[in-house]
Amino acid sequence: MPAWEMNVRKVIPYTPGEQPDRAGIIKLNTNENPYPPAPGVARVLQGMDAGKLRKYPDPAAGELVSALSERYQMPKEQIFVGVGSDDVLAMSFLTFFNGDKPILFPDITYSFYDVWAGLFQIPYECQPLDGEFEIVTKDYLKPCGGIVIPNPNAPTGAEKDLQELERIIAANSDVIVIIDEAYIDFGGESAVRLVSQYDNLLVVQTFSKSRSLAGMRIGYAFGNEKLIKYLNDAKYSFNSYTMNTVTIAMGVEAVRDEAYFQETVGKVVATREWTKGELHRLGFVFQDSKSNFIFASHPKCQAKKLFEALKERGIYVRYFAKPRIDNYLRISIGTDEEMKALVAFLDKYIGENLWLN
Ligand SMILES: *Cc1c(COP(=O)(O)O)cnc(C)c1O
């Protein structure tokens, strides 16, 4: 190893889901929304005056913060925005997790948390989910450097009861508790209403899933005024202009179209419920998902083989070759037609292959 390499920050990066460049595939592997974003978003694109891009964007993304403030009835001083919730979460790890004690998060969870902890050299301790893949409240009632919990959890899709989460937040008033609500709009109960009661709570959400804007990169957080100020201080010490002019304008359109939001979220939820019924009929087992995906296992069919067979047929789902979850598939909810195609394939495959395992 050359001497200079000793001083390199070495990290094991996050592995995002595949974005195959194949026509005609059914893509159920990265929890994207199958419906386009609100019509106002496309109008921003069409009506964009390129001359506007001559100037730097508003570093505070004021218009987007105002739109979120109206929609969520939250003072502007309590809202932070960033380039996807990944940016908001990374900035939060950097800002809030500077103690000596380890931060806590589940062992089976969003696989970016340990990556950020590694990058920022934050000590962490994973708390195992129980046999039913549930988060165990008492594991989070102990001295620590901070907590991050996704609700619903990923990749299980399971919701944790808000009262239980409140116990965790209340018991950890000395550290910051981050609730990552990437999937909350698909039927879970949000912790946003607890923000006014707990100054150690940060609730993070995203436009990527329920508002169909994964490609645009918009995330946001709600918290006590002081938390938001500290987040902005860190952001302005790193890169002031993270959100561009076009993104800000599109974000505003997406938040303001409440009717479209409700309609598309409703469709995804209805399709998810139908898919649950079909997967049960086929013998799959899974927790009751409150997200836009189902994390399912088949007692008589190996997940890895099924994953490969699906891929061959042009249906992409997510498979994690990790301890405890290597016999599960995470299936994002697509359109009704896409889910029918999936179920038709599974019907046939399971019928033909049960005897192989
Ligand atoms: C998708 C996801 C995110 C990140 O979404 P962005 O696209 O960066 O907004 C964060 N947390 C969880 C649990 C997710 O599944």
Side-chain angles (χ1 to χ4, degrees):
M1 191 191 280
W4 59 262
E5 215 171 341
M6 304 281 286
N7 298 326
V8 168
R9 187 177 291 253
K10 296 173 195 74
V11 288
I12 302 164
Y14 172 76
T15 319
E18 226 180 317
Q19 294 291 353
D21 195 13
R22 242 174 100 183
I25 62 153
I26 296 179
K27 195 170 174 303
L28 309 173
N29 69 334
T30 49
N31 298 343
E32 287 144 346
N33 196 307
Y35 302 106
V41 172
R43 286 197 294 272
V44 171
L45 256 188
Q46 285 145 13
M48 196 69 209
D49 166 15
K52 267 196 185 165
L53 302 178
R54 198 174 50 76
K55 288 163 93 186
Y56 282 105
D58 170 11
E63 281 185 44
L64 181 56
V65 169
S66 296
L68 285 165
S69 168
E70 258 173 57
R71 164 64 173 79
Y72 290 93
Q73 296 295 299
M74 181 72 67
K76 290 182 211 167
E77 300 71 32
Q78 293 188 238
I79 304 173
F80 177 80
V81 295
V83 184
S85 56
D86 284 343
D87 178 43
V88 175
L89 287 162
M91 203 49 78
S92 304
F93 272 52
L94 179 68
T95 307
F96 301 123
F97 296 155
N98 293 288
D100 301 325
K101 293 200 188 93
I103 63 163
L104 312 177
F105 50 83
D107 64 336
I108 297 168
T109 195
Y110 187 37
S111 47
F112 226 136
Y113 300 151
D114 59 353
V115 173
W116 288 315
L119 175 65
F120 298 133
Q121 301 172 352
I122 301 165
Y124 66 94
E125 203 180 83
C126 293
Q127 306 302 303
L129 300 185
D130 70 13
E132 259 72 65
F133 282 178
E134 297 284 350
I135 290 169
V136 182
T137 302
K138 72 164 175 41
D139 291 347
Y140 298 84
L141 307 179
K142 61 185 178 193
C144 64
I147 290 172
V148 52
I149 294 177
N151 194 42
N153 193 12
T156 66
E159 183 187 22
K160 181 136 180 91
D161 186 76
L162 190 57
Q163 280 173 343
E164 291 290 297
L165 282 180
E166 185 170 0
R167 273 180 69 200
I168 293 172
I169 298 160
N172 285 282
S173 57
D174 290 348
V175 295
I176 302 303
V177 178
I178 299 174
I179 308 295
D180 178 355
E181 295 190 337
Y183 301 102
I184 200 69
D185 295 324
F186 300 104
E189 192 182 354
S190 174
V192 168
R193 66 171 178 78
L194 300 178
V195 162
S196 58
Q197 282 172 68
Y198 298 96
D199 62 6
N200 63 322
L201 169 63
L202 192 77
V203 178
V204 179
Q205 298 189 355
T206 176
F207 283 48
S208 295
K209 280 85 184 212
S210 57
R211 288 193 172 88
S212 312
L213 280 172
M216 212 59 227
R217 314 304 302 131
I218 310 176
Y220 52 104
F222 299 122
N224 172 273
E225 222 178 293
K226 226 169 158 180
L227 292 194
I228 301 303
K229 185 192 174 296
Y230 279 127
L231 269 176
N232 276 315
D233 287 349
K235 170 188 158 168
Y236 295 140
S237 310
F238 192 79
N239 176 4
S240 308
Y241 303 111
T242 53
M243 292 200 95
N244 67 65
T245 307
V246 185
T247 303
I248 294 169
M250 288 184 172
V252 169
E253 291 299 324
V255 183
R256 291 206 178 134
D257 200 337
E258 184 65 19
Y260 184 84
F261 168 76
Q262 296 293 348
E263 182 197 328
T264 48
V265 164
K267 283 203 278 192
V268 171
V269 169
T271 307
R272 176 190 70 202
E273 294 308 306
W274 177 84
T275 308
K276 282 179 189 171
E278 291 299 302
L279 292 181
H280 274 141
R281 176 179 64 78
L282 290 164
F284 282 92
V285 290
F286 48 90
Q287 276 175 300
D288 187 32
S289 168
K290 287 283 178 67
S291 63
N292 68 339
F293 56 86
I294 296 169
F295 194 55
S297 179
H298 198 287
K300 293 180 181 158
C301 226
Q302 256 182 48
K304 189 158 190 287
K305 280 190 192 164
L306 185 48
F307 165 75
E308 278 155 9
L310 280 163
K311 195 167 176 172
E312 193 131 299
R313 154 69 178 79
I315 301 176
Y316 285 70
V317 299
R318 190 89 191 256
Y319 171 74
F320 302 93
K322 287 188 176 177
R324 294 184 78 191
I325 55 170
D326 60 0
N327 203 26
Y328 284 78
L329 295 178
R330 193 195 66 188
I331 304 165
S332 307
I333 303 301
T335 60
D336 284 335
E337 294 67 40
E338 289 173 325
M339 301 321 277
K340 277 180 193 154
L342 169 87
V343 167
F345 177 87
L346 292 176
D347 241 326
K348 192 161 177 290
Y349 179 90
I350 290 169
E352 288 167 359
N353 291 276
L354 273 185
W355 57 275
L356 288 176
N357 293 288

